[in-house]
Each structure stands twice: as C-alpha cells, then as structure tokens.
C-alpha cells in the first residue's frame, strides 16, 4: 500500500551531530498522525511525518560519526505532509533529487521510495527554547558523482516504515518514549485503538478471528 503525500532533533544516544555537510542514508519514515502545532499564537492541526537518516563519514577532527556504541549517528526531521509550494517537505525532496516535481509526479509520488536512498545533509545548529544548541537538517542535496564513483559505504540500519494506516506494533515498541507519546497523541492512533478494542470485543463475542485493519478508511492520506 502506497505512502502518498497530499496536494528536529538529534539521535544516536544523545551524541550531537556536528554541523556541516554529511553523507547520509534515509532509513526511517514514521507517520506521526495529525499533530497540534502552535505558531505565532495560532493553533493548527497538521498531518506530520518524520524522516530519519544514518550518517557516514568523519567530523572536522577526523572522528568517525558514531555513537559511544559504535552505531552511526542519526538525525531526524519532522515535516508537514503537504505538497504546498512552500512546504519544507517539497523543498527538501526537490533539493535531494536536484529538480522540481512535475504536477504528474506529485500526483503519484510514493514517499516510501526514499527509504534506503543516499543524500548529502547540510546540518546546522540552532538554539532551542531552552537555550541549548540542537543539530537540525538545514537542507538536502544529491550525492556528488565523485562520491558515488568512490563507492558508498554499507548500510547499517534496517529500513523502517511506520504507517498509521497499517501500524507495525513491533516496530512501534522500538521507538523512544517521546516519539511514542507523539504518535499516541494523534487522533489517528486513538481511533485505531478504539477500533482495535471494538474488534477484539466482537471477536470474543462471535468467536471469530477477524481481519485486523483490512477495513481502514480510504480517506487516509497514504
């Protein structure tokens, strides 16, 4: 089933991602559901997704971009699921592919296709509301041909796709507390749990095994 787009933070056991241009591979896409957003005193409800990348290479001091456990540093960015001309998702994806989307491409683009894709991430540091500095994905660019010709490093993380239309509960349990709570706060998650409870009740009453989430609404965005 496609993950279709409608018309940030650091990872890696808190090891900060250094600013600069880094070779990265997208390994995680998470559907966050509809989130409440406060902006300039206005409250909005927007469908959000999160993209995650593993980083490869070294910092300016020649240190490998790995955590204390030896895993690649990871960085994540949340996006509104929108094809609006000024939407960050559209801007970043067009920078990644190095050309704009056509109207036809936007109508049939499946964002899950970027899983496993390599890119160059421009990481910048910005102060948070608490005054601390945080690493953020500033922009995305394609991998230069010379880097590809030299050979890309092997992937480390397994590709992860979490969709509220068909939730992978085992994958969900691997998420951190903050990410779980964000997903659980969405009305889509709450509706799923209510439906799941109703289905379990029906199974117990009828002695039937049922069909899980096969009857999800068609108006979900992917």
């Amino acid at each position: 089933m496609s993950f279709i787009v409608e018309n940030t933070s650091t990872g890696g056991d808190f090891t900060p991602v250094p600013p600069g241009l880094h070779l990265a591979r997208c390994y995680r896409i998470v559907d966050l559901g509809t989130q409440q957003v406060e902006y300039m005193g206005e409250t909005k409800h927007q469908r959000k997704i999160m993209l995650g990348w593993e980083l490869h290479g070294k910092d300016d001091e020649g240190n490998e971009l790995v955590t204390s456990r030896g895993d690649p540093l990871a960085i994540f960015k949340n996006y509104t699921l929108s094809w609006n001309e000024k939407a960050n998702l559209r801007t970043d994806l067009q920078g990644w592919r190095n050309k704009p989307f056509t109207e036809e491409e936007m109508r049939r683009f499946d964002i899950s296709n970027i899983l496993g894709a390599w890119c160059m991430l421009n990481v910048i540091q910005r102060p948070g509301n608490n005054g601390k500095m945080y690493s953020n994905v500033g922009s995305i660019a394609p991998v230069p041909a010379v880097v590809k010709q030299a050979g890309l490093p092997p992937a480390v993380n397994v590709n992860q796709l979490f969709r509220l239309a068909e939730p992978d509960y085992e994958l969900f349990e691997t998420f951190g507390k903050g990410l779980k709570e964000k997903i659980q706060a969405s009305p889509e998650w709450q509706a799923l749990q209510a439906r799941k409870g109703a289905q379990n009740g029906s199974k117990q009453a009828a002695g039937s095994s049922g069909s899980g989430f096969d009857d999800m609404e068609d108006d979900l965005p992917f």
Side-chain angles (χ1 to χ4, degrees):
M1 191 172 185
S2 297
F3 197 174
I4 301 298
V5 185
E6 285 186 329
N7 198 38
T8 354
S9 57
T10 58
D13 71 0
F14 306 105
T15 304
V17 174
L21 197 62
H22 301 296
L23 178 65
R25 187 183 73 88
C26 181
Y27 77 95
R28 176 182 284 185
I29 301 176
V30 177
D31 177 10
L32 300 175
T34 301
Q35 299 290 319
Q36 181 172 304
V37 179
E38 304 287 341
Y39 182 71
M40 298 184 66
E42 183 180 359
T43 300
K44 296 182 179 180
H45 293 85
Q46 300 173 330
R47 192 63 181 261
K48 298 283 187 176
I49 62 170
M50 183 186 79
L51 302 185
W53 296 265
E54 62 182 37
L55 305 183
H56 294 261
K58 300 180 180 180
D59 62 19
D60 292 340
E61 283 71 46
N63 301 309
E64 295 286 343
L65 298 177
V66 295
T67 69
S68 59
R69 298 191 303 268
D71 302 321
L73 291 185
I75 192 165
F76 307 92
K77 185 172 181 177
N78 294 346
Y79 294 90
T80 299
L81 197 61
S82 169
W83 274 133
N84 183 280
E85 186 175 354
K86 296 182 179 180
N88 288 332
L89 180 62
R90 179 173 175 177
T91 298
D92 281 359
L93 291 180
Q94 289 185 149
W96 191 340
R97 73 204 298 258
N98 205 26
K99 72 174 186 177
F101 286 101
T102 65
E103 291 296 326
E104 176 62 23
E105 286 173 329
M106 285 190 290
R107 279 195 293 270
R108 56 185 175 83
F109 182 72
D110 185 344
I111 199 170
S112 64
N113 290 335
I114 70 175
L115 273 177
W118 292 83
C119 64
M120 302 300 296
L121 293 183
N122 182 29
V123 176
I124 60 177
Q125 289 189 330
R126 294 190 182 121
N129 294 331
N130 58 4
K132 296 181 179 180
M133 296 299 292
Y134 292 91
S135 297
N136 295 267
V137 175
S139 60
I140 309 178
V143 178
V146 65
V147 176
K148 293 180 180 178
Q149 291 168 1
L152 295 170
V156 176
N157 291 294
V158 175
N159 290 343
Q160 300 174 357
L161 175 63
F162 180 82
R163 301 174 59 252
L164 282 167
E166 296 173 347
D168 181 339
Y169 288 105
E170 289 187 9
L171 176 58
F172 177 81
E173 290 303 321
T174 68
F175 295 158
K177 179 181 178 182
L179 180 55
K180 284 182 179 178
E181 289 177 346
K182 184 180 288 288
I183 295 171
Q184 289 169 332
S186 71
E188 290 83 5
W189 174 270
Q190 295 167 17
L192 282 172
Q193 302 317 299
R195 178 173 298 169
K196 185 177 179 181
Q199 288 176 341
N200 289 339
S202 298
K203 291 174 187 177
Q204 292 174 1
S208 170
S209 60
S211 59
F213 295 104
D214 290 344
D215 59 346
M216 291 297 294
E217 292 94 337
D218 291 333
D219 61 352
L220 291 173
F222 43 78

